[in-house]
Amino acid sequence: MKKIARSILLLIAGGFSLLLHAQENDPVEWVNPLMGTQSKPSLSNGNTYPAVGVPWGMNLWSAQTGKMGDGWMYTYDADKIRGFKQTHQPSPWMNDYGQISIMPVTGKMVFEQDARASWFSHKAEIAKPYYYSVYLADHDVTTELTPTERAAQFRFTFPETDSSFVVIDAFDKGSYIKVIPAEKKIIGYSTKHARGPLPDFKNYFVIYFNKPFANAHTWEGKTLNESALEITADHSGAIVGFKTAKGEKVSMKIGTSFISFEQAELSLKRELAGDSFEQTMARAKKSWNDRLGRIRIEGASVDQKRTFYSAMYRTLFFPHKMYELNASGQVVHYSPHNGKILPGYRFSGTGFWDTFRALYPFLNFLYPSINKEMQAGLVNDYKEGGWLPEWSSPGYSDVMVGNNSASVVSDAYLKGLRGYDINTLYEALLHGANNEGPRATGRRGVEYYNKLGYVPYDVKINENAARTLEYAYDDFTIYQLGKALGRPKAELDLYKKRSQNYKNLFDPEHNLMRGKNKDGQFQSPFNPYKWGDAFTEGNSWHYSWSVFHDIQGLIGLMGGKANFVKQLDNVFSLPPVFDDSYYGGVIHEIREMQIANMGQYAHGNQPIQHMIYLYNYAGAPWKAQYWVRETMNRMYKATPDGYCGDEDNGQTSAWYVFSALGFYPVTPGVDQYVVGAPLFKKATIYLENGKKIVINASANSDQNRYIQSATFNGQAYGKNWFSFSGLQKGAVINFNMGAQPNKFRGTADSDVPYSMSRDDQ
């Protein structure tokens, strides 16, 4: 019996080993799209939805548990599904545009969202990036879907009944639908959008079924139309019926377009052709494996692998493609700025306030070809709308602060991207830096900023200190790009000077940034724990580190390295107290900081996410190594509550992916990444240029989180940064890890990363 038991154990172990080996070559299978879905307005564990699509695809799909128009379209704690929604939603706070919903029902011909809703269980749900399946208990129907960039296939497994139906919901605020029974076809459009104005905006759809309709109707609001097969109304929909045998599978193909019905049909035929459901699914899966497989990790736990690839998956959605290929194969797009159909690339659904920090640097590092298209799309935004977006959803959206398009544009060019109109983009940066535009474009308070060197606290411009700090960094990136383009010296000197404006808000009494009145006096009273007011979704403890380009200058203001390190330490040692009086209540970002048990460190929001890496500038890199690992271990997990705040358009995930590899882009716009400490024993990165980076840390473990020594291509390496250009040539980096910090490595002045006041020539 013992021999038999041992044999069984060996077989099980062997099977598990084979499974792990298969997943090494199938990284998409580590992804949990439900990561972050256990969220609500008062507490975000990600504020995500199980997005089914392909990387940067024009459309995503998600099960819809929320009501029509609810930004929280899918929440893990919900128990009913109302439909399967085509979505372009970047965030629940931004809500959606051009959405439609599909829902199978049986028994009664119900179509209204509450009447058609069905109980479901996560036990009968499969969520993958390329495939979704769920059993709808009230209708005894299993729904499956699998995507392409602009189309999708559905498969409904019905019970035996003469009353099987599929509901098409084109949503309210203006929609159209037409049923064509002779062709087993439905066409329509949705105009619904949360952010506008959007001239002549429509999301056209074309649907084909593989089974003739036994009956067909349109509906308006809550009213069924017994005879009309075509309707234009505030809220239009259709319902088609079938007689089905037990276990019969009814297939549906859908293509969509922001341009026309003809273009939707073209995309459907081009992307789905005569493919079976399985063929479409296999292609979608391959697309994910191709992108996710660009990083291979070894020596990680199962949980770490799931978290890493789930986070990486989140970096590959936004901004999404809004361009299409016409009958001649030419790239064309609908412009949300003027309503015209125009040539060229366009992307949408991202906020630069979030994504300039790590998401766009990640694209420049690993997927430069897609960001090249994105930069070409920004050229079109400027030509068509007169401004670069700061939040696109899908046009200009009036949220957040800063002029961080400057960082996104500059970092791409300075990281070597070419083949688009950089001179027009530079013109757009100058225009945005010196003018205030509509809906958060340009710079609010620009006249004060350019004259005084800061946006005053007392001139009724909200979040003024945050604006000042971000404008100063943005000016630095304009200066950097201007140098690369050979711009005139007087112009360069202007932006170089403005990049130092951060100093105007430094309060030496508190060693923190503080709002300043128009007369040059600091605003009073001052509470460094007060959220909002002079700052954006944070307080002075969070925003005082937003001097990405000149940390040595900030160290000087704080009185030297020892004081600087002490102030960094204070962020973690202070209690998580807060003043929410600006908001009149506790916003979710405050609550997420409060419950994280990391003091004033608010990793769930973007302004402070680079802060840990600043220990490297002040002779204490081992503290960065400790806190990076703590944050990865405590704040991320591939579970429904797996984030510590909003997963904003891939930014919070990009932080994790970079940090797990062992470095982070503190200063987009320069040729450096700041070293943290790797999470895995080995990571291999396959670059687009054919080179590869191998990062070895064979002694890595939960205890051995400190770098003892390192080599770069065989040479001893003591610096706290890697160069982008050096990594792009291919590299082998070896880290010797240990359980105790090495307090000598990386402490010399020559080891610290770039700072403008020290390094600019």
Side-chain angles (χ1 to χ4, degrees), residues 105-116:
V105 299
T106 58
K108 296 180 180 179
M109 193 184 299
V110 292
F111 51 86
E112 193 271 329
Q113 60 176 338
D114 289 333
R116 73 192 186 217

Side-chain angles (χ1 to χ4, degrees), residues 506-528:
F506 184 77
D507 173 14
E509 178 185 352
H510 295 87
N511 259 0
L512 293 169
M513 297 295 175
R514 182 174 177 180
K516 182 177 282 188
N517 292 330
K518 187 178 177 182
D519 65 3
Q521 299 297 310
F522 282 117
Q523 54 101 178
S524 184
F526 173 60
N527 180 356

Side-chain angles (χ1 to χ4, degrees), residues 167-457:
V167 178
I168 315 297
D169 190 339
F171 280 49
D172 61 353
K173 307 303 181 185
S175 50
Y176 164 83
I177 206 152
K178 180 180 181 181
V179 184
I180 310 170
E183 300 179 50
K184 298 176 287 188
K185 180 178 181 181
I186 301 172
I187 65 171
Y189 62 72
S190 167
T191 68
K192 190 174 179 67
H193 56 276
R195 306 276 171 170
L198 297 179
D200 298 322
F201 174 74
K202 293 182 176 71
N203 182 27
Y204 299 89
F205 57 87
V206 175
I207 295 171
Y208 287 95
F209 287 87
N210 71 335
K211 184 178 177 70
F213 307 149
N215 49 68
H217 303 275
T218 58
W219 50 270
E220 175 182 352
K222 296 184 178 182
T223 304
L224 184 71
N225 294 309
E226 295 291 346
S227 55
L229 294 181
E230 183 174 15
I231 184 173
T232 304
D234 175 73
H235 187 182
S236 303
I239 182 166
V240 294
F242 312 93
K243 181 178 180 180
T244 55
K246 183 178 180 180
E248 182 175 352
K249 298 182 190 308
V250 175
S251 297
M252 187 196 96
K253 294 182 177 181
I254 178 170
T256 64
S257 169
F258 294 113
I259 294 173
S260 67
F261 288 120
E262 293 76 17
Q263 183 64 42
E265 181 109 26
L266 181 63
S267 292
L268 186 154
K269 291 179 177 176
R270 179 185 285 133
E271 297 185 11
L272 295 178
D275 289 353
S276 67
F277 186 95
E278 285 75 15
Q279 287 172 315
T280 298
M281 183 169 65
R283 276 212 304 272
K285 181 177 181 178
K286 182 179 185 302
S287 180
W288 280 110
N289 275 333
D290 288 347
R291 280 12 178 264
L292 296 172
R294 300 282 292 283
I295 302 178
R296 299 293 176 133
I297 58 177
E298 300 174 39
S301 69
V302 168
D303 282 346
Q304 287 172 338
K305 286 183 179 179
R306 286 174 176 159
T307 303
F308 181 82
Y309 284 113
S310 295
M312 193 173 172
Y313 146 86
R314 290 283 168 196
T315 69
L316 305 180
F317 282 135
F318 293 104
H320 71 84
K321 295 176 180 178
M322 275 197 80
Y323 71 80
E324 305 174 50
L325 302 176
N326 66 17
S328 301
Q330 298 166 318
V331 175
V332 292
H333 67 273
Y334 158 82
S335 172
H337 308 302
N338 58 30
K340 297 179 180 178
I341 308 304
L342 297 167
Y345 293 105
R346 192 172 185 284
F347 288 75
S348 186
T350 188
F352 293 159
W353 182 84
D354 303 295
T355 54
F356 85 85
R357 305 165 194 270
L359 186 278
Y360 278 93
F362 184 61
L363 298 181
N364 292 330
F365 175 65
L366 201 58
Y367 308 101
S369 60
I370 193 68
N371 199 15
K372 178 181 171 182
E373 291 184 8
M374 293 171 184
Q375 299 299 313
L378 290 175
V379 174
N380 291 326
D381 277 313
Y382 177 60
K383 287 180 175 179
E384 295 159 21
W387 304 86
L388 291 180
E390 300 300 333
W391 236 115
S392 64
S393 189
Y396 303 132
S397 299
D398 193 8
V399 288
M400 308 313 293
V401 304
N403 181 217
N404 300 308
S405 54
S407 177
V408 171
V409 167
S410 299
D411 192 51
Y413 189 82
L414 294 165
K415 293 295 195 296
L417 274 65
R418 296 295 186 271
Y420 53 92
D421 188 354
I422 188 60
N423 291 309
T424 293
L425 284 179
Y426 186 79
E427 174 191 310
L429 298 190
L430 297 187
H431 177 63
N434 292 286
N435 295 279
E436 181 175 339
R439 301 190 293 285
T441 57
R443 296 184 178 182
R444 190 171 181 207
V446 65
E447 291 185 8
Y448 292 110
Y449 176 82
N450 287 353
K451 180 180 179 180
L452 301 175
Y454 61 94
V455 180
Y457 179 84

Side-chain angles (χ1 to χ4, degrees), residues 430-492:
L430 297 187
H431 177 63
N434 292 286
N435 295 279
E436 181 175 339
R439 301 190 293 285
T441 57
R443 296 184 178 182
R444 190 171 181 207
V446 65
E447 291 185 8
Y448 292 110
Y449 176 82
N450 287 353
K451 180 180 179 180
L452 301 175
Y454 61 94
V455 180
Y457 179 84
D458 58 346
V459 295
K460 297 183 178 179
I461 296 176
N462 67 323
E463 301 165 15
N464 38 80
R467 295 179 193 273
T468 298
L469 294 170
E470 293 193 24
Y471 294 165
Y473 163 69
D474 297 330
D475 284 331
F476 166 77
T477 66
I478 294 172
Y479 166 65
Q480 288 287 88
L481 180 58
K483 284 195 297 182
L485 296 177
R487 301 293 296 186
K489 182 177 185 301
E491 183 178 284
L492 298 179

Side-chain angles (χ1 to χ4, degrees), residues 436-750:
E436 181 175 339
R439 301 190 293 285
T441 57
R443 296 184 178 182
R444 190 171 181 207
V446 65
E447 291 185 8
Y448 292 110
Y449 176 82
N450 287 353
K451 180 180 179 180
L452 301 175
Y454 61 94
V455 180
Y457 179 84
D458 58 346
V459 295
K460 297 183 178 179
I461 296 176
N462 67 323
E463 301 165 15
N464 38 80
R467 295 179 193 273
T468 298
L469 294 170
E470 293 193 24
Y471 294 165
Y473 163 69
D474 297 330
D475 284 331
F476 166 77
T477 66
I478 294 172
Y479 166 65
Q480 288 287 88
L481 180 58
K483 284 195 297 182
L485 296 177
R487 301 293 296 186
K489 182 177 185 301
E491 183 178 284
L492 298 179
D493 289 345
L494 174 65
Y495 290 97
K496 180 178 182 180
K497 179 182 178 182
R498 289 180 180 172
S499 74
Q500 297 296 298
N501 282 341
Y502 71 89
K503 295 177 180 177
N504 295 328
L505 296 189
F506 184 77
D507 173 14
E509 178 185 352
H510 295 87
N511 259 0
L512 293 169
M513 297 295 175
R514 182 174 177 180
K516 182 177 282 188
N517 292 330
K518 187 178 177 182
D519 65 3
Q521 299 297 310
F522 282 117
Q523 54 101 178
S524 184
F526 173 60
N527 180 356
Y529 303 105
K530 186 176 184 179
W531 281 63
D533 197 22
F535 301 99
T536 302
E537 294 181 2
N539 62 34
S540 184
W541 281 106
H542 307 144
Y543 249 100
S544 291
W545 316 103
S546 293
V547 187
F548 310 92
H549 56 297
D550 196 14
I551 300 303
Q552 292 302 318
L554 183 61
I555 290 172
L557 292 176
M558 288 190 177
K561 292 181 178 180
N563 286 343
F564 184 80
V565 169
K566 182 179 179 182
Q567 198 74 324
L568 290 170
D569 291 343
N570 286 339
V571 172
F572 296 106
S573 63
L574 287 167
V577 297
F578 57 85
D579 175 352
D580 63 2
S581 59
Y582 176 77
Y583 298 108
V586 179
I587 62 173
H588 75 92
E589 291 90 351
I590 295 176
R591 189 68 72 209
E592 288 139 20
M593 178 199 76
Q594 181 195 32
I595 65 177
N597 194 26
M598 293 183 78
Q600 286 290 316
Y601 184 68
H603 189 80
N605 210 24
Q606 284 68 36
I608 205 170
Q609 287 181 350
H610 68 294
M611 182 221 105
I612 290 172
Y613 287 90
L614 303 189
Y615 283 110
N616 285 283
Y617 295 74
W622 65 91
K623 292 193 174 187
Q625 294 157 25
Y626 173 83
W627 284 114
V628 166
R629 181 68 67 89
E630 280 295 289
T631 303
M632 285 191 287
N633 285 351
R634 290 162 59 177
M635 299 292 124
Y636 293 82
K637 198 164 186 179
T639 57
D641 64 344
Y643 288 104
C644 53
D646 285 351
E647 201 307 283
D648 280 316
N649 312 122
Q651 164 57 30
T652 299
S653 291
W655 185 95
Y656 183 91
V657 173
F658 266 126
S659 296
L661 295 175
F663 51 92
Y664 185 79
V666 169
T667 315
V670 303
D671 184 49
Q672 288 184 5
Y673 301 112
V674 180
V675 174
L679 181 61
F680 311 121
K681 293 182 183 296
K682 183 177 182 179
T684 305
I685 304 164
Y686 299 89
L687 301 174
E688 269 192 6
N689 64 11
K691 306 292 185 180
K692 70 178 180 179
I693 302 164
V694 180
I695 301 168
N696 294 306
S698 59
N700 218 342
S701 69
D702 192 47
Q703 293 74 33
N704 293 351
R705 63 177 64 180
Y706 297 104
I707 299 173
Q708 307 300 300
S709 61
T711 63
F712 189 97
N713 288 340
Q715 302 296 312
Y717 195 82
K719 297 186 184 300
N720 296 329
W721 54 272
F722 299 130
S723 73
F724 170 86
S725 53
L727 292 175
Q728 288 290 312
K729 295 174 184 175
V732 176
I733 303 167
N734 291 312
F735 288 107
N736 178 28
M737 307 298 291
Q740 299 299 319
N742 179 344
K743 296 186 178 182
F744 299 98
R745 183 193 175 278
T747 59
D749 288 344
S750 58

